[in-house]
Amino acid sequence: MTTATPVSPLERLRVPGAFALGAVLLLGVAPLALSDFRLSLLAKYLCYAIVAVGVSLAWGRGGLMVLGQGVFFGLGGYAMAMHLKLTDAAAIGETLPDFMQLYGTGDALPWWWKPFANPAFALAMTVLLPMAVAALLGFFVFRRRVKGAYFAILSQALAAALSIWLVGQQATTGGTNGLTDIQGFFGYSLDDPVNQRTVYFLIAAVLLLLMAAARQLFVSRYGELLVAVRDSEERVRFLGYDPANVKLVAYVLAAGMAGLAGALFVPAVGIISPALIGIVPSIGFVIGAAVGGRASLVGAVLGAIAVAWAQSTLSDAVPAAWTYLQGLLFVVAVGFLPGGLASAAVLVRRRRSDTRTTGETA
């Protein structure tokens, strides 16, 4: 009979301690140390980090190359923005958002806009709509055992199709500009710095809660089963489990997280447009997780924040070179450091251990 390896008290406190440290940094240190402008930028980066949590689940644990997360990010963002635009219009006595009046859609609100006037419906759709699209796509894709590069290509095709459709519907979606100039957030003015800080706290709290939930999912029976599907799908099938269902759950959950991130992105930035949800942004979500370490929640989150910060900084300084640098980061991360920066310390410790063992043997 084998006995479980005892866990030291220090090891037991490692995860709760890291979570507490993250909460202190995000909810205490950052608001005190950063200006309103820098804090609003961090809120934007944290939205990308929320997407990275889902990428870590689907790709890091499940091996699903999710190159279409921009679709779900956009669906959540547009669902939230539609409600906020209708609320802004109602506040000044109008029935149509400003861009519809500008582009001349008539006096009637499009039928598919009308339900989003209800805040409960809009909030639910920010998560349920991306999850429903992911469930529909995943059901057919995983049942046909499509995986690897083919799955990645399908994901990108979906992102491109949605972006093109949004651009072509200028009268009802704002076209290339998207939904802009959002003034309020459930009755609170976004021009007020106090309310902007409240939005930041909301985003930071959601990120911490999702990280905690994802961590529990990672160590659960389902998390172990997801890793087993990633490593040996046929063995899992022989054990009586359906790998398609296992992967579908991860894909749908990742889509829901991306949709929630898109919904929170709208009050943080005040805009949602096709440029934020196409192929390039979708690849950017994956690059952040890959650089930090897709199998590590903390690594994926920090990588997403770092890459988003680099994009904001370097794209202004060298706009023509940033896209190439972004692609180089992805190639280096996947080709030379598959575990991302989160695995660098493990590799160093392993090399030191191997060197020590070799010296003792000699």
Side-chain angles (χ1 to χ4, degrees):
M1 178 182 295
T2 59
T3 58
T5 304
V7 180
S8 67
L10 185 61
E11 185 68 19
R12 290 177 180 175
L13 292 175
R14 184 175 62 86
V15 174
F19 183 83
L21 177 61
V24 170
L25 290 175
L26 289 177
L27 301 177
V29 176
L32 293 176
L34 299 178
S35 64
D36 290 337
F37 173 72
R38 296 294 179 186
L39 198 65
S40 66
L41 281 180
L42 182 56
K44 172 183 172 181
Y45 302 158
L46 294 185
C47 292
Y48 296 151
I50 292 174
V51 181
V53 174
V55 173
S56 181
L57 172 66
W59 185 30
R61 290 283 166 163
L64 303 173
M65 179 64 82
V66 283
L67 288 178
Q69 292 304 92
V71 172
F72 310 121
F73 184 85
L75 289 174
Y78 269 89
M80 175 63 75
M82 288 165 67
H83 171 72
L84 297 183
K85 291 296 290 183
L86 290 174
T87 303
D88 288 346
I92 58 175
E94 299 288 348
T95 58
L96 296 179
D98 50 7
F99 74 93
M100 288 188 183
Q101 299 176 33
L102 177 64
Y103 297 138
T105 60
D107 297 330
L109 190 69
W111 65 268
W112 52 278
W113 269 74
K114 292 180 181 179
F116 288 93
N118 185 301
F121 178 85
L123 282 174
M125 285 299 101
T126 61
V127 177
L128 295 182
L129 182 58
M131 293 178 74
V133 172
L136 182 63
L137 176 65
F139 177 81
F140 292 105
V141 168
F142 298 138
R143 288 293 172 185
R144 293 182 175 274
R145 304 186 185 182
V146 177
K147 53 185 177 180
Y150 300 102
F151 175 72
I153 292 172
L154 282 175
S155 299
Q156 283 200 320
L158 182 62
L162 178 62
S163 180
I164 293 171
W165 181 81
L166 289 171
V167 170
Q169 304 297 314
Q170 185 171 4
T172 54
T173 65
T176 306
N177 294 328
L179 304 182
T180 63
D181 195 28
I182 293 172
Q183 302 294 320
F185 183 61
F186 293 96
Y188 296 93
S189 173
L190 292 175
D191 291 332
D192 189 341
V194 175
N195 294 336
Q196 278 289 351
R197 283 183 168 256
T198 302
V199 171
Y200 165 80
F201 282 116
L202 175 62
I203 294 171
V206 169
L207 172 61
L208 291 170
L209 290 175
L210 287 180
M211 289 182 68
R215 167 67 184 176
Q216 289 302 113
L217 196 62
F218 281 13
V219 299
S220 68
R221 184 178 180 84
Y222 170 76
E224 296 177 352
L225 188 59
L226 185 60
V227 173
V229 170
R230 179 196 67 190
D231 295 340
S232 182
E233 188 171 321
E234 292 303 322
R235 289 186 180 181
V236 173
R237 185 174 288 108
F238 291 149
L239 290 174
Y241 296 98
D242 188 349
N245 291 336
V246 177
K247 292 190 288 186
L248 181 62
V249 170
Y251 188 51
V252 170
L253 288 176
M257 293 180 192
L260 182 57
L264 294 171
F265 180 88
V266 171
V269 180
I271 183 176
I272 188 72
S273 71
L276 297 167
I277 65 176
I279 293 178
V280 174
S282 296
I283 295 175
F285 292 140
V286 173
I287 290 175
V291 170
R294 64 181 185 269
S296 166
L297 270 177
V298 175
V301 166
L302 293 180
I305 294 173
V307 170
W309 172 83
Q311 181 178 7
S312 297
T313 304
L314 298 179
S315 61
D316 291 336
V318 282
W322 165 246
T323 303
Y324 299 103
L325 179 58
Q326 191 178 42
L328 180 62
L329 280 174
F330 185 64
V331 171
V332 170
V334 174
F336 298 96
L337 197 61
L341 295 178
S343 66
V346 176
L347 292 176
V348 171
R349 287 197 301 267
R350 186 177 301 170
R351 286 187 177 182
R352 288 180 177 175
S353 178
D354 293 343
T355 303
R356 190 181 302 113
T357 302
T358 303
E360 293 175 354
T361 303

